[in-house]
Amino acid sequence: MSGHDGPLPALKERAGVVAALADGRQTLLLRDPGLKPQEYAGWFALYPAFSHQSPDRYSPEALDYYRENAEKPADGIPVRAVARVADEWTAPASVVEALAEHYVYSPAGIREKYGVEDERDEVRALLLRVAELPAERVLAERPAYRGCRTWISLDESVDLDPTEAVPVLDDESFAARREGVETALGRGRRRRAPDGPPAPTGRRRASPRRRGRRGHRGWFWLSPRRRG
């Protein structure tokens, strides 16, 4: 059992982005600060959304993440990883370009998606600690999972155990990634630093890796449980 009171909440994000998170290629999510932060400090599943994806939002070197995750698989939604928010900031829109190496969208794609055209606009930056499950879970797409929402609650029958997951970056690699994000943020205003549980134990990968072609990988955000 997961040790969590009920099934894990799930974060809904575009399938290509979720695949990049699960590969260790991306550790940062940029969001519109108009979206209220969720009061959840623990682990959540990464659930891929296959609708409303656009290849125009990806950087040229990361376009394979779109191509390999453009179509929703017929047998269900593949859940491959869990994550927690290791740190969170709100920063001026000018950091979008400075952070470009830390996400698979292009800066123009981020600006278009979240409507941050004016430099007076702000973005929320979420640093994620991602861990891969020992085996991919394929979930039936229930009506409650659909629609434009950031968080969803998984069905009671879905039992995902974060303690069995292996971090996609080892501690040293993750610390270097965090340092790069903090350097790029510069004078960005710090918003919140959640005190989540430590990363799962077990064999850790020394560096991010790309898998073979994954024509059906991907993920999206689901609704979190609030802390009591």
Side-chain angles (χ1 to χ4, degrees), residues 96-165:
V96 169
E97 283 73 22
L99 289 168
E101 69 178 284
H102 297 287
Y103 53 81
V104 292
Y105 280 173
S106 68
I110 289 287
R111 288 180 177 274
E112 181 271 330
K113 180 174 174 59
Y114 297 115
V116 285
E117 302 297 334
D118 193 302
E119 293 309 311
R120 293 171 294 182
D121 292 332
E122 292 184 322
V123 293
R124 180 174 295 125
L126 305 172
L127 183 69
L128 300 188
R129 193 69 159 113
V130 180
E132 188 170 34
L133 296 166
E136 177 182 275
R137 293 287 301 277
V138 178
L139 307 183
E141 187 182 23
R142 298 178 178 270
Y145 300 169
R146 298 171 185 157
C148 296
R149 60 190 73 188
T150 299
W151 295 92
I152 62 171
S153 295
L154 296 177
D155 186 76
E156 291 288 339
S157 64
V158 179
D159 184 23
L160 303 176
D161 189 349
T163 65
E164 296 179 350

Side-chain angles (χ1 to χ4, degrees), residues 13-28:
E13 183 54 272
R14 302 305 171 206
V17 174
V18 170
L21 290 167
D23 280 350
R25 163 64 176 82
Q26 177 170 328
T27 52
L28 188 73

Side-chain angles (χ1 to χ4, degrees), residues 169-218:
L169 296 178
D170 63 24
D171 290 344
E172 183 178 357
S173 298
F174 183 74
R177 197 74 63 87
R178 179 198 288 270
E179 183 178 2
V181 168
E182 291 176 338
T183 298
L185 283 167
R187 291 174 295 175
R189 193 155 48 85
R190 194 184 193 97
R191 177 67 173 269
R192 182 171 69 91
D195 294 319
T201 58
R203 266 178 52 187
R204 300 182 178 185
R205 301 187 190 122
S207 61
R209 59 183 174 82
R210 282 299 308 275
R211 297 172 172 265
R213 291 188 63 83
R214 294 179 173 270
H216 64 281
R217 309 291 190 203

Side-chain angles (χ1 to χ4, degrees), residues 27-49:
T27 52
L28 188 73
L29 284 179
L30 292 183
R31 289 272 171 164
D32 179 351
L35 294 172
K36 300 299 181 184
Q38 301 290 342
E39 295 296 324
Y40 191 79
W43 293 94
F44 48 84
L46 291 174
Y47 187 101

